[in-house]
Amino acid sequence: MLKITIENFNHQEIVSQVDNRKVIELIHENYIDWMHACGKKGRCTSCKMVVTKGFENLSPLTDSEEYFRGNGRLKVDERLSCQAKLMYGELSIKVPEEQKLPHLDYSE
């Protein structure tokens, strides 16, 4: 069982019985809006997430993530939700300030 908690979105929880899934797929399947500009192809950083717990439960960095980390657009505690797969267990994340959507209410 997979579990994602979005801390600054009122601790919204997502639970899935299917493992090895991209984080953004799990988020969108649960009808939660999450920014993504390049069609989930890893060509931008609009879908990034801040990982606060469970980093070890994610798949290794992809080439796209390595590229963005190398040029300073992806911090060490951030991953692209369209590239990172939750392999097993739990994950706690936050929406970065610059990725927050204006029509949603976020908590802190």
Side-chain angles (χ1 to χ4, degrees), residues 35 45-49 95-101 106:
M35 174 75 75
T45 59
S46 66
C47 73
K48 70 181 165 183
M49 58 185 174
V95 181
E97 193 63 38
E98 65 274 13
Q99 302 331 105
K100 289 181 177 179
L101 296 169
Y106 297 91

Side-chain angles (χ1 to χ4, degrees), residues 1-94:
M1 179 178 83
L2 303 178
K3 180 179 172 186
I4 299 171
T5 302
I6 307 172
E7 293 178 5
N8 62 347
F9 194 58
N10 299 309
H11 290 273
Q12 177 78 40
E13 291 185 353
I14 299 167
V15 177
S16 176
Q17 299 299 324
V18 182
D19 58 0
N20 194 23
R21 303 282 313 284
K22 288 184 178 181
V23 174
I24 199 165
E25 291 172 350
L26 293 165
I27 292 170
H28 284 166
E29 287 170 5
N30 284 273
Y31 307 103
I32 299 169
D33 282 344
W34 194 273
M35 174 75 75
H36 66 289
C38 71
K40 305 177 193 174
K41 299 195 183 337
R43 296 183 183 148
C44 68
T45 59
S46 66
C47 73
K48 70 181 165 183
M49 58 185 174
V50 177
V51 179
T52 60
K53 187 172 98 177
F55 206 97
E56 68 279 2
N57 297 335
L58 294 171
S59 57
L61 290 172
T62 64
D63 290 343
S64 294
E65 290 175 303
E66 292 280 3
Y67 171 78
F68 290 121
R69 184 162 290 167
N71 69 20
R73 292 180 59 193
L74 198 61
K75 298 174 187 169
V76 292
D77 63 344
E78 295 176 333
R79 294 288 305 266
L80 298 181
S81 65
C82 75
Q83 299 294 295
K85 291 182 180 181
L86 182 54
M87 307 301 286
Y88 48 83
E90 297 185 18
L91 179 68
S92 292
I93 61 175
K94 289 184 178 182

